[in-house]
Amino acid sequence: MNDIRRDIPWWKRAVGYQIYPRSFADGNGDGIGDIPGIVGRLDHLKDLGVGFIWLSPVYASPQRDNGYDISDYRAIHHEYGTLDDFDRLVAEAKDRGIGIVMDLVVNHSSDEHAWFRAAAASRDAPEHGYYVWREGREGGLPPTDRRAIFGGPAWTYVAAVDRWYLHTFSPGQPDLDWSNPALRAEIYDMMNWWIARGIAGFRMDVIDLIGKDVDRDLFDEGPFVWDHLGEMARETFQGRDLVTIGESWAVSRESIMRYIGEDGPLDMMFHFDHVKLGWDPDFHKFRPREVTPSMLKREIIAWQNALRDDGWDALFLSNHDLPRQVSRYGDDGAHRVASAKALATMLHMLRGTPFVYQGEEIGMTNFHASSLDQLLDVEVHGQYRQFLDQGLGHDEFMAGVNLNGRDNARTPMQWDGRAGAGFTKGTPWIGLNPNHAEINVAADRADPDGIFAYYARLIALRAEHPVIADGGFRAHLEDHPAVLAFTRGHRNRRLSVMVNLTGEAQKFVVPDAMAGSGTSLVATHGARAGLQGEITMEPWEAFALLR
């Protein structure tokens, strides 16, 4: 009888599943995913066993950045449905034991938000103070030379107020001024409004940027972020049975405990050191670098060690901004199934809360774009000319897009092999991956040894075994170039996990700390009854042994 401790927060026993609404399921045949479509597919997620859905933005939006540009925080985007549809989603998911976690995007709004329209019309409008405005420099120059993340200057001039507004990402995403207490009160009121609708928590987009000090050019993890987050917690989610997940591209192992743990306001943070391993210092994701198994191992172990005592990790390899993990870290060719299972074993056996991105549970892959015309991502089109002017070749840029581009994760969910992949009866808003005829939910779930079945097993194990949900972490074979090996310990139980992160067989001697007989919990290439002496792991083999 397994004795999962009931005092462990529910989100430590659960697995999250990210839905990108535009690409998940189309309920009305217009080619765009929507909330009724999600409701219609909830049984898929119940069968998978996930505990909560991280729902990418469904708020009203002009959709220039696919919902991360919000024009009304208390309305549902018309292509996605209505508030009644949303309430039904919360209720139907709850009936299946699944919570809904909202994506909170409050570093910036859309330039079509009523606040910004008022702010851009008059300096005297109260909403003018909700955004970051500065005077320009002589000669009609912007306040600073800062560049936007999606390309171009980070400042845009508005003649009606004779000032420039800051947009860290794009001109359509003006930054909110978190130094304004009236703005903060508006946001907290909005958050409490969603909490009252029954959501299970928030995932907080680029949350470290709310603490920026613009005049000192301190943006990433700015000096005010922890004060703002502390106030947010007190005014909204503190003391409630919710999960809060921050996101920061700048958070480090040295700074993370200011966000989470006993003294931090949040439960966990998405961090990206393992992602940035594959980025060029100058051209970032658009000139990718090789990520070797030893490089990936090193980052994973370092973060597990950093959070081993008091912290809690948000475990992921893919999301809506990243490539498909089997294409980036695995082998999306001959070893697609095996490498998908191996990567999943690694992630789900670590200490922390694993997140599954839609389609990951069937091994969906990147797609290949032959021209810019096939790409819809605002980041790609915003950076293309800038990077070519800086010396990056077109072919190099396209190679980077095909490996690391965001549209890889945004092709529609592949439910079956029909013309619309079971995603839509209409014309999909973005092109389908041509391999949907072979790689799809129906085909994978028909295979008892498929990727979906393997994921469901991993997720069930976390709910069943305290050593997975609450155990400690210790790395072994740290210098091995291909095999990630670690143990998890809880009371008198120990879990030994080994993952071959390559397409080649690996022969090595089992460390004494991992040796012994046990019960196979999960295995990609057949159960092992024990570990002793020299063993050989097959390409992309992974297993977990409990003793």
Side-chain angles (χ1 to χ4, degrees), residues 136-401:
R137 292 175 290 175
E138 290 187 10
L141 296 175
T144 71
D145 292 328
R146 188 172 187 86
R147 306 292 291 179
I149 289 174
F150 291 163
W155 299 91
T156 291
Y157 179 69
V158 177
V161 293
D162 191 27
R163 278 181 172 167
W164 299 71
Y165 71 87
L166 174 70
H167 45 85
T168 300
F169 289 87
S170 76
Q173 296 164 292
D175 279 39
L176 294 164
D177 188 350
W178 272 75
S179 70
N180 186 329
L183 178 275
R184 299 199 304 273
E186 289 267 20
I187 290 172
Y188 304 154
D189 189 59
M190 173 268 294
M191 292 173 66
N192 284 320
W193 186 81
W194 284 107
I195 291 170
R197 300 195 89 91
I199 66 169
F202 295 100
R203 176 265 185 185
M204 303 179 181
D205 187 63
V206 291
I207 200 62
D208 66 302
L209 294 178
I210 69 172
K212 67 177 74 71
D213 185 331
V214 176
D215 296 320
R216 294 168 60 199
D217 198 35
L218 300 174
F219 277 66
D220 296 331
E221 293 194 315
F224 311 116
V225 60
W226 296 286
D227 288 340
H228 293 333
L229 284 175
E231 180 184 70
M232 177 191 288
R234 291 189 298 272
E235 296 296 325
T236 60
F237 51 79
Q238 194 172 76
R240 289 166 156 164
D241 191 21
L242 303 173
V243 63
T244 52
I245 311 135
E247 182 210 38
S248 169
W249 286 81
V251 65
S252 66
R253 292 186 286 275
E254 291 70 37
S255 68
I256 193 167
M257 293 310 296
R258 298 189 70 180
Y259 295 96
I260 65 173
E262 290 187 5
D263 299 325
L266 306 180
D267 295 320
M268 63 188 102
M269 289 286 291
F270 286 122
H271 52 84
F272 296 88
D273 284 353
H274 62 294
V275 173
K276 292 183 285 187
L277 288 173
W279 289 15
D280 179 78
D282 298 318
F283 298 109
H284 312 301
K285 70 175 69 173
F286 297 108
R287 179 184 275 170
R289 298 187 296 185
E290 180 186 9
V291 179
T292 65
S294 60
M295 292 166 64
L296 185 61
K297 274 181 56 177
R298 185 166 58 247
E299 284 299 328
I300 288 171
I301 292 169
W303 275 96
Q304 286 284 294
N305 287 338
L307 298 172
R308 179 167 49 195
D309 297 326
D310 301 316
W312 191 254
D313 210 353
L315 305 168
F316 72 104
L317 290 175
S318 54
N319 66 24
H320 65 291
D321 284 333
L322 303 177
R324 292 288 177 179
Q325 65 190 49
V326 74
S327 297
R328 189 65 179 95
Y329 304 106
D331 176 352
D332 60 10
H335 294 294
R336 182 184 65 86
V337 172
S339 64
K341 292 179 179 180
L343 293 171
T345 307
M346 173 185 74
L347 206 71
H348 286 254
M349 293 297 105
L350 291 170
R351 186 174 186 273
T353 298
F355 287 78
V356 178
Y357 180 69
Q358 62 184 49
E360 176 189 326
E361 74 276 23
I362 60 165
M364 281 181 62
T365 69
N366 283 0
F367 82 104
H368 180 82
S370 57
S371 73
L372 285 173
D373 294 340
Q374 294 176 266
L375 301 164
L376 301 182
D377 183 13
V378 63
E379 181 183 32
V380 168
H381 292 281
Q383 295 285 20
Y384 176 73
R385 181 48 54 192
Q386 177 178 318
F387 281 161
L388 260 61
D389 289 345
Q390 294 174 6
L392 189 67
H394 170 80
D395 290 344
E396 282 185 290
F397 184 88
M398 291 302 298
V401 167

